[in-house]
Amino acid sequence: MQATQPTFFKQGPKPLTRVLIFSTLSVALIIGDAYFQLLGRVREQISIVLYPLQWLATAPTNAVIEASAFLQKQSHLIAENRQLNDAKLIAQAQEMRLKALEAENAQLRALKLANERNPRQSQLTQILYNGRDPFGAKLIVDLGQRSGVSAGQIALDASGVVGQVIRVQPMTSEVRLISDREHMVPVLVERNQLRTVVYGTGRQNPLEVRNMAPNVDIKPGDILLTSGIDGIYPAGLPVARVSKVERAAGNAFARIQCKPLAQIDQHRFLLLLNAPEPLPAYPLTTPAPKPKGH
Amino acid sequence: MPISRQMLRPVGGGFIFFSFIIALLINLLPWQISSINFAPDFVALLIVYWTLNQPRRFGIASSFVLGVLMDVADGNVLGQHALAYTVIAYLALSRQRQLAVFPFWQQALVALALLFLSQAIMLGIRMSMGASFIGWGYFAGTLLAAFLWPPLSNLMIMYQRKDVPDEL
C-alpha cells in the first residue's frame, strides 16, 4: 500500500509505529532517570534554554512585590527600623554571651583533643518559585553552580532549617523542603538529648517522628534540633516543635507529629550554608565484634 | 475545527511554535501551593488542539520533545510528561478525522478524557516509583482545562479567520 502511494501522501512511518518508538524512548528515559539520575545531566543542558522562560514567568510577580515594597509607608519603615534596632541590641547581648560560651567550648574541646568545628560560610539566596511537581515539596532558588552552590548544602531561614539543596543548575538550584516525603533529618530532642530522625510527610502535612516506642519521653512542645550525626546538617539548628503525641494502646509505635519551626512557605530569602567537611570514612573493614547474647 | 463557512488562513509553523512558547510560559508561572492542582496543563491542551487541527504539521514526535521540556522544567522524573504526551497525541491522531469536525463542546469532552489520561499516566509512573497517592485534587486542573477548551479554540481560530470577499 505505502509503496504505491504518490509521494504527496507519504507521511513517514505510521502513527502506531511512531507512538511505539517514542513511548519506548520515554520509558527508557524514565528507567534511565531512576537508575542513573539522567535528569540531572539533561537538565544542565536544557535548563539554560528554559531559563529565560522561567525568568519571564516569574518577572510579573517579582515586579509587583518590588513595587509594593517601594510604596511602603514611611511610618511602617520607621516602626520596623525601631523594631530591628531593638532586635539588634538583644542579638548583640546574646552574641557577647555566645562568644564567651564559644571560647569556653573551644577550651573544653581542646582539652578533650576534639577537632573544633568552625562556623560555616553561608550565602543569601532568593526564592524564585515553588516546584511545580505536586508529588514533592521543592523550591527553586536563584543561586546555582556559577555562585558555587553544590548539592547537599543546607537551606535555613531565621527560625530554623528549611531544607537541603538537592540539584544544582548553572543559574538556579532546587531545595527540597523538610516536609518532602523523601526527606529526613537526624535530630535530637532539646530537653533530654534523645536522638531520633524526623520524616517529612508531604507539603501541607506535619512532620513525623517514627519508630519510637509508645513510652518514649517526648512531649508536645519539645524542640527538635539537628544532631549533626550525619555530617550533613551541622549540630544545633532548630528543626521542629512537637505538636501532638498519640500513644494508642494498639500501636507498636507512638505517633508523634511536629511542626517545622522555619516558616517554610512564607519567606522570599533563604540562607545556604556551605558544604560540610567530609567526615572520616566509615569503618567498613573491621566491624566491632558483636556482643554476645544479641 | 468544526465545519464552518468561514475561510481560514493556513497556519504557519511559526504560529504553532509561538503558541507553545506561550503555553510553556503559562505552565511555568509560579502558583500558590494551595492552588497548584487547579493549574491546567496548557501544553497538553495545545498538543491535543494542534494534533486535531494540524495533524500533518504537529504530531507524536513534537509532543515527545515538548514532554521532555516539561520534565526538565518541572524537575520531576525525566520521561514522565514525554510518555503521557506521546500517548495522548497518538490517541488524538488515531481519531483525528472524526474528532476534528466535532463541535467545540464535544471536543472539550475528548480533551477532558485525554488530559485525564495523561495525568493518570503520570500518576501511575510516580506511584510505580514509590510515591503515594496524592489525592483526587490532582485531577482538578484537567476539569478546568476542559472548560477552557471552547474559548481557547475560538482564540486560536481567530488568528486564522479572514474576511470573506464580497464577490463570493
Side-chain angles (χ1 to χ4, degrees):
Chain A
M1 277 294 279
Q2 195 85 6
T4 56
Q5 278 176 346
T7 45
F8 175 75
F9 291 114
K10 275 190 184 160
Q11 292 187 18
K14 282 185 199 165
L16 187 62
T17 326
R18 277 193 228 180
V19 76
L20 286 179
I21 292 171
F22 285 112
S23 42
T24 319
L25 251 176
S26 310
V27 173
L29 283 183
I30 293 169
I31 294 172
D33 188 35
Y35 286 98
F36 310 110
Q37 272 68 49
L38 209 58
L39 183 64
R41 273 173 251 168
V42 176
R43 276 191 82 130
E44 276 167 25
Q45 313 301 323
I46 307 187
S47 65
I48 290 282
V49 184
L50 283 170
Y51 186 77
L53 275 181
Q54 284 172 338
W55 179 83
L56 206 62
T58 50
T61 37
N62 285 348
V64 168
I65 290 169
E66 260 160 45
S68 70
F70 184 75
L71 295 174
Q72 244 178 6
K73 280 187 191 157
Q74 203 189 1
S75 56
H76 258 268
L77 291 178
I78 290 172
E80 195 180 301
N81 198 350
R82 198 168 294 150
Q83 201 187 339
L84 287 177
N85 267 332
D86 289 353
K88 191 180 143 203
L89 270 180
I90 297 170
Q92 272 173 344
Q94 277 176 347
E95 199 198 346
M96 283 194 287
R97 256 186 65 212
L98 188 72
K99 274 192 179 143
L101 284 175
E102 236 172 40
E104 191 185 319
N105 197 5
Q107 198 189 359
L108 287 173
R109 278 178 186 280
L111 280 176
K112 293 198 80 176
L113 293 174
N115 49 346
E116 70 182 300
R117 206 168 294 164
N118 295 323
R120 296 193 203 159
Q121 297 293 312
S122 59
Q123 279 173 299
L124 193 66
T125 181
Q126 191 179 350
I127 298 172
L128 282 179
Y129 51 92
N130 280 310
R132 269 186 47 89
D133 186 15
F135 290 90
K138 284 171 196 157
L139 291 176
I140 317 295
V141 297
D142 72 342
L143 287 185
Q145 226 159 28
R146 297 198 180 161
S147 323
V149 176
S150 62
Q153 287 190 334
I154 308 302
L156 302 174
D157 74 355
S159 40
V161 177
V162 171
Q164 188 181 6
V165 176
I166 51 162
R167 219 179 263 151
V168 183
Q169 285 105 48
M171 285 185 264
T172 55
S173 42
E174 235 172 76
V175 174
R176 185 166 65 193
L177 300 179
I178 50 174
S179 56
D180 189 282
R181 274 166 219 265
E182 289 172 15
H183 203 86
M184 45 207 98
V185 186
V187 291
L188 43 83
V189 180
E190 193 187 29
R191 185 167 51 84
N192 56 8
Q193 304 287 303
L194 177 74
R195 279 196 314 273
T196 176
V197 177
V198 64
Y199 292 77
T201 59
R203 189 141 202 163
Q204 308 284 19
N205 306 334
L207 308 178
E208 248 181 30
V209 177
R210 293 180 192 157
N211 307 335
M212 299 304 276
N215 63 350
V216 67
D217 183 17
I218 296 180
K219 291 185 219 157
D222 280 353
I223 304 283
L224 305 179
L225 306 175
T226 50
S227 63
I229 281 179
D230 56 350
I232 295 174
Y233 288 89
L237 300 173
V239 179
R241 171 180 283 122
V242 177
S243 57
K244 203 165 130 196
V245 182
E246 270 176 43
R247 305 173 202 267
N251 292 346
F253 301 115
R255 234 186 121 200
I256 302 168
Q257 297 189 333
C258 321
K259 209 173 166 300
L261 283 170
Q263 287 143 330
I264 52 179
D265 281 342
Q266 287 180 9
H267 292 291
R268 288 186 64 221
F269 292 97
L270 295 177
L271 213 57
L272 297 183
L273 285 193
N274 276 4
E277 316 98 51
L279 289 181
Y282 190 76
L284 283 174
T285 44
T286 53
K290 276 185 188 170
K292 278 172 192 169
H294 243 284
Chain B
M1 64 219 78
I3 293 173
S4 71
R5 291 193 187 160
Q6 275 155 340
M7 301 270 282
L8 293 177
R9 197 182 287 154
V11 177
F15 181 61
I16 299 181
F17 184 76
F18 180 70
S19 70
F20 275 111
I21 295 278
I22 299 290
L24 274 173
L25 198 61
I26 298 176
N27 270 13
L28 292 182
L29 281 182
W31 291 80
Q32 286 291 319
I33 279 311
S34 46
S35 59
I36 200 161
N37 279 333
F38 294 98
D41 189 349
F42 278 94
V43 173
L45 205 59
L46 272 186
I47 282 175
V48 177
Y49 180 84
W50 286 123
T51 323
L52 289 186
N53 292 308
Q54 297 289 328
R56 292 187 66 110
R57 280 172 184 276
F58 185 87
I60 295 165
S62 333
S63 311
F64 175 79
V65 173
L66 280 163
V68 172
L69 275 182
M70 272 305 288
D71 285 329
V72 170
D74 260 17
N76 41 31
V77 179
L78 187 66
Q80 157 190 332
H81 281 89
L83 181 63
Y85 289 173
T86 308
V87 171
I88 62 168
Y90 166 70
L91 289 178
L93 197 62
S94 63
R95 288 286 176 149
Q96 183 266 331
R97 278 152 219 253
Q98 194 182 358
L99 297 176
V101 294
F102 278 0
F104 284 151
W105 69 270
Q106 286 182 9
Q107 288 185 349
L109 290 181
V110 175
L112 175 68
L114 288 177
L115 261 61
F116 191 85
L117 179 70
S118 93
Q119 291 214 293
I121 291 174
M122 291 194 244
L123 188 67
I125 292 169
R126 296 307 286 265
M127 283 173 75
S128 70
M129 296 183 80
S132 50
F133 186 63
I134 54 164
W136 291 102
Y138 181 53
F139 293 100
T142 301
L143 218 59
L144 202 61
F147 279 113
L148 284 177
W149 177 271
L152 179 85
S153 304
N154 276 316
L155 187 75
M156 301 299 280
I157 223 166
M158 207 149 69
Y159 165 81
Q160 289 178 262
R161 278 192 187 130
K162 60 179 178 186
D163 297 330
V164 182
D166 287 336
E167 56 264 29
L168 268 181

Short mmCIF file of all heavy atoms in Angstrom, two decimals, chain A residues 182-202:
data_model
loop_
_atom_site.label_atom_id
_atom_site.label_comp_id
_atom_site.label_asym_id
_atom_site.label_seq_id
_atom_site.Cartn_x
_atom_site.Cartn_y
_atom_site.Cartn_z
N GLU A 182 10.30 12.47 50.89
CA GLU A 182 11.53 11.68 50.86
C GLU A 182 12.61 12.26 51.76
O GLU A 182 13.76 11.84 51.70
CB GLU A 182 12.05 11.63 49.41
CG GLU A 182 11.17 10.76 48.55
CD GLU A 182 11.56 10.86 47.11
OE1 GLU A 182 12.65 11.37 46.81
OE2 GLU A 182 10.75 10.43 46.27
N HIS A 183 12.25 13.26 52.54
CA HIS A 183 13.29 13.94 53.29
C HIS A 183 13.27 13.52 54.75
O HIS A 183 12.21 13.37 55.34
CB HIS A 183 13.08 15.45 53.21
CG HIS A 183 14.32 16.21 53.45
ND1 HIS A 183 15.21 16.49 52.46
CD2 HIS A 183 14.85 16.73 54.58
CE1 HIS A 183 16.23 17.16 52.97
NE2 HIS A 183 16.03 17.31 54.25
N MET A 184 14.44 13.32 55.31
CA MET A 184 14.50 13.09 56.75
C MET A 184 15.69 13.81 57.35
O MET A 184 16.70 14.01 56.67
CB MET A 184 14.53 11.60 57.06
CG MET A 184 15.47 10.80 56.23
SD MET A 184 14.93 9.11 56.08
CE MET A 184 14.10 9.11 54.52
N VAL A 185 15.56 14.23 58.58
CA VAL A 185 16.62 14.99 59.26
C VAL A 185 16.93 14.30 60.58
O VAL A 185 16.04 14.04 61.37
CB VAL A 185 16.14 16.43 59.54
CG1 VAL A 185 17.28 17.25 60.10
CG2 VAL A 185 15.58 17.07 58.31
N PRO A 186 18.22 13.99 60.81
CA PRO A 186 18.59 13.45 62.13
C PRO A 186 18.54 14.55 63.18
O PRO A 186 19.15 15.60 62.99
CB PRO A 186 20.01 12.93 61.92
CG PRO A 186 20.49 13.57 60.69
CD PRO A 186 19.34 14.09 59.90
N VAL A 187 17.79 14.32 64.23
CA VAL A 187 17.58 15.37 65.22
C VAL A 187 17.82 14.82 66.62
O VAL A 187 17.94 13.61 66.81
CB VAL A 187 16.13 15.90 65.17
CG1 VAL A 187 15.89 16.65 63.90
CG2 VAL A 187 15.14 14.78 65.33
N LEU A 188 17.90 15.73 67.59
CA LEU A 188 17.78 15.29 68.96
C LEU A 188 16.83 16.21 69.70
O LEU A 188 16.67 17.37 69.34
CB LEU A 188 19.13 15.14 69.66
CG LEU A 188 20.25 16.13 69.54
CD1 LEU A 188 20.05 17.26 70.48
CD2 LEU A 188 21.54 15.40 69.93
N VAL A 189 16.17 15.64 70.69
CA VAL A 189 15.21 16.41 71.47
C VAL A 189 16.01 17.31 72.40
O VAL A 189 16.89 16.85 73.12
CB VAL A 189 14.30 15.47 72.28
CG1 VAL A 189 13.29 16.27 73.08
CG2 VAL A 189 13.60 14.50 71.36
N GLU A 190 15.68 18.61 72.37
CA GLU A 190 16.48 19.58 73.12
C GLU A 190 16.43 19.30 74.62
O GLU A 190 17.42 19.44 75.33
CB GLU A 190 15.94 20.98 72.84
CG GLU A 190 16.85 22.09 73.31
CD GLU A 190 16.19 23.44 73.15
OE1 GLU A 190 14.96 23.51 73.23
OE2 GLU A 190 16.92 24.41 72.96
N ARG A 191 15.27 18.87 75.09
CA ARG A 191 15.07 18.72 76.54
C ARG A 191 15.90 17.58 77.12
O ARG A 191 16.54 17.74 78.17
CB ARG A 191 13.58 18.49 76.81
CG ARG A 191 13.18 18.43 78.25
CD ARG A 191 11.67 18.52 78.35
NE ARG A 191 11.03 17.54 77.47
CZ ARG A 191 10.83 16.28 77.80
NH1 ARG A 191 11.21 15.82 78.95
NH2 ARG A 191 10.24 15.45 76.95
N ASN A 192 15.92 16.43 76.44
CA ASN A 192 16.60 15.29 77.05
C ASN A 192 17.64 14.65 76.15
O ASN A 192 18.11 13.55 76.41
CB ASN A 192 15.57 14.25 77.49
CG ASN A 192 14.70 13.83 76.33
OD1 ASN A 192 14.97 14.22 75.20
ND2 ASN A 192 13.68 13.06 76.60
N GLN A 193 17.99 15.34 75.04
CA GLN A 193 19.07 14.88 74.16
C GLN A 193 18.83 13.50 73.57
O GLN A 193 19.75 12.77 73.25
CB GLN A 193 20.42 14.86 74.92
CG GLN A 193 20.78 16.20 75.51
CD GLN A 193 21.20 17.20 74.46
OE1 GLN A 193 22.12 16.97 73.70
NE2 GLN A 193 20.49 18.31 74.37
N LEU A 194 17.55 13.15 73.41
CA LEU A 194 17.21 11.87 72.79
C LEU A 194 17.42 11.96 71.29
O LEU A 194 16.92 12.88 70.65
CB LEU A 194 15.74 11.56 73.11
CG LEU A 194 15.17 10.30 72.49
CD1 LEU A 194 15.72 9.09 73.22
CD2 LEU A 194 13.66 10.32 72.57
N ARG A 195 18.18 11.02 70.73
CA ARG A 195 18.46 11.07 69.29
C ARG A 195 17.36 10.37 68.52
O ARG A 195 16.92 9.28 68.91
CB ARG A 195 19.78 10.36 68.98
CG ARG A 195 20.99 11.17 69.22
CD ARG A 195 22.16 10.53 68.51
NE ARG A 195 22.21 9.10 68.73
CZ ARG A 195 22.82 8.54 69.77
NH1 ARG A 195 23.40 9.29 70.65
NH2 ARG A 195 22.85 7.22 69.89
N THR A 196 16.95 10.98 67.41
CA THR A 196 15.95 10.34 66.56
C THR A 196 16.01 10.96 65.16
O THR A 196 16.94 11.71 64.86
CB THR A 196 14.54 10.46 67.19
OG1 THR A 196 13.59 9.90 66.29
CG2 THR A 196 14.17 11.90 67.43
N VAL A 197 15.06 10.60 64.34
CA VAL A 197 15.03 11.12 62.98
C VAL A 197 13.62 11.65 62.72
O VAL A 197 12.64 11.01 63.11
CB VAL A 197 15.36 10.00 61.95
CG1 VAL A 197 15.25 10.54 60.53
CG2 VAL A 197 16.74 9.44 62.20
N VAL A 198 13.53 12.82 62.07
CA VAL A 198 12.21 13.36 61.76
C VAL A 198 11.98 13.26 60.25
O VAL A 198 12.86 13.58 59.46
CB VAL A 198 12.05 14.79 62.33
CG1 VAL A 198 12.99 15.77 61.70
CG2 VAL A 198 10.62 15.26 62.18
N TYR A 199 10.79 12.75 59.86
CA TYR A 199 10.48 12.47 58.47
C TYR A 199 9.49 13.51 57.94
O TYR A 199 8.58 13.91 58.65
CB TYR A 199 9.81 11.10 58.33
CG TYR A 199 10.71 9.93 58.63
CD1 TYR A 199 11.01 9.60 59.94
CD2 TYR A 199 11.23 9.16 57.60
CE1 TYR A 199 11.82 8.51 60.23
CE2 TYR A 199 12.04 8.06 57.88
CZ TYR A 199 12.33 7.76 59.20
OH TYR A 199 13.12 6.69 59.48
N GLY A 200 9.64 13.88 56.70
CA GLY A 200 8.63 14.69 56.03
C GLY A 200 7.50 13.80 55.56
O GLY A 200 7.70 12.62 55.28
N THR A 201 6.28 14.36 55.48
CA THR A 201 5.15 13.54 55.04
C THR A 201 4.34 14.22 53.95
O THR A 201 3.22 13.84 53.67
CB THR A 201 4.19 13.23 56.21
OG1 THR A 201 3.73 14.47 56.72
CG2 THR A 201 4.85 12.45 57.28
N GLY A 202 4.90 15.23 53.29
CA GLY A 202 4.15 15.93 52.26
C GLY A 202 4.00 17.39 52.63
O GLY A 202 4.02 17.74 53.80
#
